[in-house]
Amino acid sequence: MRPYSLLILFLLNSIFLEAQTYSFKPPQNRVLVISGGGARGAWGVGVCKALLERHRGYKAVYGTSTGSLMAPMILLQNIEKLEFNYTNVTQKSIFSLNPFKVTKEPVLIDGAQAIDSLTNTKLFTMKTDIKPFNAIWRLLIGKPSLGESCNLKKLIQSQFSREEYNRLQSICKTYDFEIGVGVTNMEDAKFEMIKNTGRDYDEFINYMWASANQPVFMTYYYDEKRKRHFADGGLIEVLPIRQAIDYAVKHRVDTIDVVLNSSINNIEPKDFSIRKNYISGGLMRILSTYGQSTLSSNIELGMLKATMESIVRDDYSEGLDRDIVINVYSMNRKLSQLYKDELGFDKDLMKFLLAYGYHSTHRLLEHPTLDLTQPITTLKAAPSPSSRGKLKFTMNE
């Protein structure tokens, strides 16, 4: 499909969805956190669809990278638009200059293509490789990244309108709700949570775009006012759990749902042979390994150690007079291994991921005692009777 044909399709979809009767249901006492994960965000959309059906909505939503693109529509409870977007997006929808060559192959078992029993869908694997000549040329002429993602910004603007942002702002002001997108300040090498409070539409759109732009491969956003470059918040915090706990304590929220668009267990980075893949393969290997290291660190420190310390340090103890339960919904290990390359956008694979995320989460919520095809980890944070302001955790898998 040509780029302008895809744009027309998206615009028609927007007009159709805007014409539908809009109704905002009062959400339950919950906060949502959504991780990065690129194209794997389609799985997260499916998970969020099942969670919205069960819990109606959320008082605050925080996301990084692909999670930041999902956050506004989750708070607005417009899951239909997210479903359309995450099952129709392509490489051309994201990249104005695509640095990757994307290939997919069927998963074979005894010579026949494997079919997933949960979604009744044929299974494929996806692989992304850097276009070597394009990469060398970009480096020679001094470009800051191997690709450009200006199309992604246009897509965000076409799918999250100024009117929708104004509606979101009105809801947040009326009910004291909040939305935040995580970015990395590239000059200061620090994570920042950009909230909607006090920001106009164009400014917030720019930071949503920045949050979703992975360094090296995508465009850096330059803030003219602050004289700083910004990129994917997932470089430093894959899961912005601190901000969610901050809101939960101050607003007496008792449950935080976390959607992790990857496996909570480390997965092996893609295979690498120095003879076969040369510089491009080595770069992909380094970034993949780094991403898994960051994810592991965020989960272990951000959710356990750092959470406990931040509550003591920021003196949240007076507000913590009840349990706070953190539910982490993560991909199972096999699914993460099947779809390792998060910057490869294929409509069929993303339809499968969304369907899998929805059906597995729906089954899990209806029958929590089942052998989990999709893991959920529960962290129960409660005031310690022996030491005021500290937390104790119980973990169930």
Side-chain angles (χ1 to χ4, degrees), residues 56-105:
R56 295 196 303 272
Y58 293 91
K59 294 184 174 181
V61 185
Y62 304 95
T64 57
S65 196
T66 196
S68 71
L69 304 182
M70 296 163 59
M73 291 302 155
I74 295 295
L75 193 140
L76 288 172
Q77 301 172 14
N78 193 346
I79 195 68
E80 292 82 7
K81 180 174 282 190
L82 282 181
E83 285 187 89
F84 179 87
N85 292 345
Y86 274 82
T87 53
N88 284 276
V89 70
T90 65
Q91 295 294 111
K92 290 181 179 180
S93 308
I94 305 298
F95 293 101
S96 44
L97 178 63
N98 183 10
F100 300 113
K101 178 178 66 175
V102 181
T103 57
K104 70 175 183 178
E105 297 178 355

Side-chain angles (χ1 to χ4, degrees), residues 43 258 260-264 328-332 374-377:
W43 174 87
V258 177
L260 176 60
N261 294 300
S262 185
S263 170
I264 200 166
V328 184
Y329 297 84
S330 63
M331 279 186 176
N332 66 56
Q374 173 197 311
I376 175 173
T377 302

Side-chain angles (χ1 to χ4, degrees), residues 243-361:
Q243 289 75 19
I245 291 180
D246 185 355
Y247 184 93
V249 171
K250 292 179 178 178
H251 294 79
R252 302 190 61 79
V253 171
D254 51 32
T255 305
I256 300 173
D257 290 332
V258 177
V259 175
L260 176 60
N261 294 300
S262 185
S263 170
I264 200 166
N265 301 306
N266 285 341
I267 62 172
E268 297 84 0
K270 61 186 67 177
D271 296 333
F272 170 65
S273 167
I274 196 166
R275 293 182 179 179
K276 179 180 179 181
N277 292 305
Y278 302 102
I279 295 175
S280 63
L283 177 60
M284 295 292 284
R285 167 80 174 198
I286 290 169
L287 291 172
S288 178
T289 304
Y290 173 77
Q292 287 302 319
S293 175
T294 303
L295 176 59
S296 176
S297 177
N298 279 182
I299 293 170
E300 294 174 5
L301 299 180
M303 296 190 64
L304 300 176
K305 183 174 180 292
T307 295
M308 191 178 298
E309 291 178 352
S310 69
I311 289 179
V312 176
R313 182 180 65 249
D314 296 335
D315 194 25
Y316 295 158
S317 57
E318 293 184 3
L320 188 64
D321 56 359
R322 70 206 177 285
D323 291 354
I324 299 176
V325 176
I326 305 174
N327 299 314
V328 184
Y329 297 84
S330 63
M331 279 186 176
N332 66 56
R333 187 182 179 90
K334 290 183 178 179
L335 191 59
S336 290
Q337 290 175 330
L338 189 67
Y339 206 150
K340 293 181 183 179
D341 296 359
E342 61 184 50
L343 292 181
F345 298 88
D346 178 86
K347 291 194 289 186
D348 291 333
L349 284 173
M350 293 175 74
K351 286 178 182 178
F352 160 67
L353 287 174
L354 194 151
Y356 192 97
Y358 173 74
H359 289 295
S360 59
T361 305

Side-chain angles (χ1 to χ4, degrees), residues 163-220:
E163 290 73 23
E164 286 172 316
Y165 183 68
N166 291 338
R167 185 188 304 154
L168 183 146
Q169 291 287 67
S170 177
I171 290 171
C172 289
K173 184 177 181 180
T174 301
Y175 300 104
D176 199 17
F177 293 172
E178 188 171 87
I179 186 170
V181 298
V183 297
T184 298
N185 185 322
M186 299 301 290
E187 268 76 14
D188 299 336
K190 293 181 179 179
F191 177 86
E192 295 184 16
M193 177 57 68
I194 306 298
K195 299 178 181 178
N196 62 304
T197 309
R199 299 185 187 277
D200 63 25
Y201 173 74
D202 294 319
E203 184 180 14
F204 194 73
I205 287 291
N206 281 329
Y207 278 107
M208 282 180 63
W209 180 50
S211 180
N213 281 333
Q214 189 175 111
V216 179
F217 302 122
M218 303 173 79
T219 307
Y220 295 89

Side-chain angles (χ1 to χ4, degrees), residues 38-51:
R40 289 199 301 256
W43 174 87
V45 171
V47 175
C48 290
K49 179 181 179 180
L51 292 174

